[in-house]
Amino acid sequence: MSSINRRRFIRSALVAGSGALFRPVKLFGYTRYHTNHSGYYNGSLLGVHPFVQDNPDAVFLMRTDVDVKTNGTAMKEAGLRFGRSVFGLTDDPLQGVPLSSRIVIKPNLTCRARWHKDYTVERSMGIVTDAHFTEGIIDSLKELEIPGSRVHIREVNCPDDLEDGGYVDMATRTGIDLQCIETPYTGLDPQQITWKDVQDGLFFKKLPYIWPVNAPGTWLINISKLKAHAMGLTLCAKNLQGTIVKNYQQHCALWGDQMN
């Protein structure tokens, strides 16, 4: 395997254009990780680009050609290019998971403020992860022969908002399992919950997640939404709050305040 530093990775990716990072994979000489997008198979496990895998503390940015946020076609194409550039096949059991794994995707699907007097679908688009972009990522997984039936999206907030966000239609097109479960913990069956210990937890020693989030044999893709929030910014950790069974997920507090 040839060596590669971050500068060369980014420079080569930009030369390839459109953020398509799997084309440079061949140039870099990686033999353990190819995808069908470049015409090569090497392995039957799902994984991420080896450079991303080997640099967990790095932040990668992908420029898109999306002109306006209402351009769903362009958003979907951007998601597809992103998925193709990051996800692929590997034969390394330490880097990949079986293709039979359940894929849990967590977009930010929180409430869109439909109660506001100035609410419109377009005005609220900055609150949630775009459904078309998410669809593009799902399509990239399908190209790796992961069926839509193995892909799950879970949320606990505002199920009535999924229609406005385009997620209901997207789930129909892709065949994924989309559920927004706002039922409190006491109203759920045990099979609907995945309990996880919280190591050194200050407020919780255990947390219940909506199944199959955190269940054995699952693989999480966190598609958070960068935006302002009373706590500061919402990023990947904040996004996972929406996978925790209600009302355990209600642990927000203003920046600097003590959580109740």
Side-chain angles (χ1 to χ4, degrees), residues 41-63:
Y41 283 96
N42 185 16
S44 58
L45 301 173
L46 173 65
V48 299
H49 191 291
F51 190 75
V52 176
Q53 182 79 40
D54 295 340
N55 291 273
D57 295 329
V59 175
F60 300 94
L61 302 178
M62 188 190 82
R63 293 183 177 181

Side-chain angles (χ1 to χ4, degrees), residues 172-191:
T172 300
R173 291 192 298 268
T174 57
I176 66 168
D177 175 24
L178 168 68
Q179 295 186 41
C180 186
I181 302 175
E182 62 175 353
T183 305
Y185 160 74
T186 54
L188 295 179
D189 293 330
Q191 294 83 358

Side-chain angles (χ1 to χ4, degrees), residues 3-260:
S3 62
I4 172 176
N5 59 35
R6 184 183 304 185
R7 178 172 296 180
R8 183 184 172 202
F9 174 83
I10 295 174
R11 182 172 63 249
S12 300
L14 292 175
V15 170
S18 301
L21 306 185
F22 268 138
R23 294 182 199 167
V25 168
K26 287 182 61 180
L27 302 178
F28 296 158
Y30 283 107
T31 58
R32 67 180 172 106
Y33 194 81
H34 294 291
T35 74
N36 56 346
H37 313 307
S38 57
Y40 289 85
Y41 283 96
N42 185 16
S44 58
L45 301 173
L46 173 65
V48 299
H49 191 291
F51 190 75
V52 176
Q53 182 79 40
D54 295 340
N55 291 273
D57 295 329
V59 175
F60 300 94
L61 302 178
M62 188 190 82
R63 293 183 177 181
T64 75
D65 297 325
V66 179
D67 49 358
V68 292
K69 64 182 180 181
T70 54
N71 189 341
T73 300
M75 293 291 285
K76 179 180 176 180
E77 180 62 27
L80 180 62
R81 291 201 306 270
F82 172 80
R84 286 175 171 176
S85 70
V86 174
F87 306 118
L89 302 178
T90 178
D91 59 1
D92 187 345
L94 298 179
Q95 305 290 348
V97 298
L99 293 176
S100 59
S101 301
R102 295 185 185 274
I103 308 300
V104 176
I105 295 181
K106 180 55 180 75
N108 193 316
L109 296 181
T110 190
C111 303
R112 301 174 68 99
R114 294 172 66 202
W115 57 82
H116 195 279
K117 62 181 180 63
D118 295 325
Y119 172 81
T120 65
V121 171
E122 183 174 346
R123 284 173 62 93
S124 65
M125 291 179 71
I127 300 176
V128 301
T129 304
D130 185 85
H132 295 94
F133 184 84
T134 303
E135 182 174 0
I137 293 178
I138 293 171
D139 284 349
S140 75
L141 297 174
K142 285 186 170 184
E143 291 179 341
L144 299 176
E145 301 184 3
I146 297 174
S149 60
R150 303 295 293 179
V151 179
H152 308 265
I153 290 181
R154 292 293 185 269
E155 179 59 56
V156 299
N157 296 299
C158 298
D160 293 340
D161 289 9
L162 294 181
E163 186 71 45
D164 280 5
Y167 273 88
V168 174
D169 290 341
M170 185 273 283
T172 300
R173 291 192 298 268
T174 57
I176 66 168
D177 175 24
L178 168 68
Q179 295 186 41
C180 186
I181 302 175
E182 62 175 353
T183 305
Y185 160 74
T186 54
L188 295 179
D189 293 330
Q191 294 83 358
Q192 295 178 277
I193 302 173
T194 304
W195 283 97
K196 297 295 291 186
D197 293 331
V198 180
Q199 186 176 1
D200 300 324
L202 297 178
F203 297 96
F204 298 103
K205 300 302 180 183
K206 286 188 174 183
L207 279 175
Y209 291 85
I210 295 288
W211 185 93
V213 180
N214 270 327
T218 60
W219 203 61
L220 173 69
I221 300 176
N222 190 333
I223 314 177
S224 61
K225 183 74 173 183
L226 177 63
K227 59 186 179 181
H229 189 274
M231 297 176 68
L233 292 175
T234 64
L235 299 169
C236 289
K238 176 67 170 62
N239 190 34
L240 291 180
Q241 185 175 335
T243 65
I244 302 172
V245 174
K246 206 171 183 177
N247 287 315
Y248 277 76
Q249 98 289 2
Q250 294 178 333
H251 47 252
C252 285
L254 296 178
W255 178 258
D257 287 354
Q258 181 175 352
M259 187 177 71
N260 294 325

